[in-house]
Amino acid sequence: MLSAKSLFQEILDNDESFRLFCSIAASGEAQGGWENGRIAALVPPAERDLAPRIARHGADEDKHGRIFRALLRKRGLEPVPVPEETDYTMLLERHGIGLAHEKLKGDTPLSEEDIVVYLAHSRVTEQRASEQMELLCRYFADHPDVGRAVKMISHDEDSHLAYCHEELLRLAAAGHGRTIQRALRVCALAEIRIHRDVSLAVMARMGRILGWPRAKSALLAAGIRAVYAYERFAGWHRMVSLTMPDRRDALGGPAAPAPEFV
C-alpha cells in the first residue's frame, strides 16, 4: 500500500535517496539562515527591537542545516549538489517572493515595507515547514536515526510560525494591515505553485534512484497535482490567516544548541 509513511521509509532506507533528501534540506536551511542573518543586519531603525528575533530565526535555520549534514555524516555520506529544479528557496527568490538577494547583499537599511514582505514570506513558508515536520514527527519521532532531529526541528518550525503570526499582527495593528494581506496572498499563491513543481522534481529523482515502476511514479505525481488543485482552490487560505499564537515571544531568547548533532 502506498502511504506517506511507506514513501518516506523507502527514501530513508536507501543511502542515495537519503543523501539527496538531506542535501536538499540542508541547502534550504542554510540559505534561510543566510537570508535571516542579512535581514537582521539591515533592520530599519524603527524595527530595531525585531533584529534579535530575526537573528535567532537565522541561527535556528543554520542549526537545522548542520543537523541534516550531521545525519549524512552519521551514515558515512557526503552531501550532493542540489539540482536546480529542486531548490525551493532559490526558486522562490527567483520568482520575486521575499526580499531579493541583491538587496540583502548590500548595506542599505531595509524599509518597514521590506520587513512586512519578509514576515509575510516567512509566515507562508514556515506554515509549509511546520506541516511537513509535523508529518515526519507523526511517523518517525521514534526512529533511531532521525527521530530526535525531526522532533527538534519541528519544535523550532512551530516557534518560527508563532513568531511570524505575532509580529504580523503587531504590524497590522500599526496600520500595515492591507499591505500584509496583499503580500501574504501573493506569496501563498506563488508558494503553492513552486512547492508543486519542486515536489514533482524531487519525486521524479527519487523514483529514478529507487527504481520505482512507471505506475507508482505516475500515481505520486497525480497526488502532488491533486494537492496543488486543492490548495489553489481553497487550501492557500490557511497560509494567509493570522491568529495570536499560544506560544508568545517564541524567538525571544538564544537559539537552543544541538550538540548531539553538531
Side-chain angles (χ1 to χ4, degrees):
M1 178 180 176
L2 185 61
S3 66
K5 183 176 182 179
S6 65
L7 181 67
F8 280 118
Q9 188 68 60
E10 195 173 354
I11 291 170
L12 291 176
D13 288 345
N14 179 278
D15 279 352
E16 286 307 307
S17 56
F18 183 73
R19 190 182 183 199
L20 178 61
F21 172 80
C22 287
S23 296
I24 291 171
S27 175
E29 297 286 1
Q31 186 63 55
W34 177 84
E35 289 174 358
N36 279 278
R38 290 304 303 149
I39 293 166
L42 299 173
V43 166
E47 292 294 333
R48 61 182 177 274
D49 290 344
L50 193 57
R53 292 171 176 79
I54 301 173
R56 159 72 186 277
H57 190 177
D60 281 345
E61 303 287 4
D62 283 336
K63 179 182 70 179
H64 299 167
R66 294 195 302 274
I67 288 173
F68 283 113
R69 290 192 294 273
L71 290 173
L72 287 174
R73 288 195 303 273
K74 188 175 181 180
R75 282 174 60 165
L77 302 172
E78 292 292 330
V80 295
V82 175
E84 186 173 301
E85 70 273 17
T86 70
D87 195 332
Y88 172 78
T89 52
M90 181 272 290
L91 289 170
L92 285 171
E93 196 266 342
R94 182 176 293 176
H95 284 80
I97 303 304
L99 298 178
H101 286 184
E102 286 306 311
K103 178 176 287 191
L104 297 183
K105 291 175 183 176
D107 297 319
T108 303
L110 300 173
S111 65
E112 286 190 64
E113 185 170 347
D114 288 331
I115 296 300
V116 168
V117 168
Y118 149 69
L119 285 168
H121 165 252
S122 294
R123 187 262 176 272
V124 170
T125 56
E126 294 297 341
Q127 178 80 38
R128 181 75 68 187
S130 177
E131 291 170 355
Q132 290 180 330
M133 295 310 301
E134 181 183 5
L135 181 66
L136 288 176
C137 277
R138 187 183 311 161
Y139 298 129
F140 299 107
D142 297 325
H143 191 280
D145 293 327
V146 303
R148 189 180 297 176
V150 298
K151 284 188 289 187
M152 178 176 291
I153 296 172
S154 180
H155 178 272
D156 288 347
E157 301 297 8
D158 289 347
S159 292
H160 299 168
L161 184 58
Y163 144 78
C164 292
H165 275 270
E166 186 172 3
E167 295 301 335
L168 284 169
L169 285 169
R170 176 181 63 81
L171 288 167
H176 297 281
R178 185 168 297 180
T179 302
I180 289 169
Q181 284 303 318
R182 183 169 59 249
L184 284 170
R185 186 179 190 279
V186 169
C187 186
L189 291 175
E191 193 280 340
I192 63 172
R193 185 180 68 252
I194 291 167
H195 180 260
R196 175 203 61 191
D197 294 345
V198 168
S199 297
L200 288 169
V202 170
M203 286 301 106
R205 286 186 172 266
M206 292 299 181
R208 289 194 291 271
I209 291 171
L210 296 168
W212 288 340
R214 186 174 300 177
K216 181 174 181 176
S217 294
L219 182 60
L220 285 170
I224 291 167
R225 292 190 175 96
V227 169
Y228 169 74
Y230 161 72
E231 291 194 327
R232 183 63 183 84
F233 177 69
W236 65 273
H237 291 286
R238 77 190 190 285
M239 295 180 158
V240 302
S241 62
L242 294 174
T243 56
M244 187 59 71
D246 293 332
R247 191 181 300 184
R248 303 290 292 273
D249 195 21
L251 299 187
E260 65 270 37
F261 295 109
V262 301

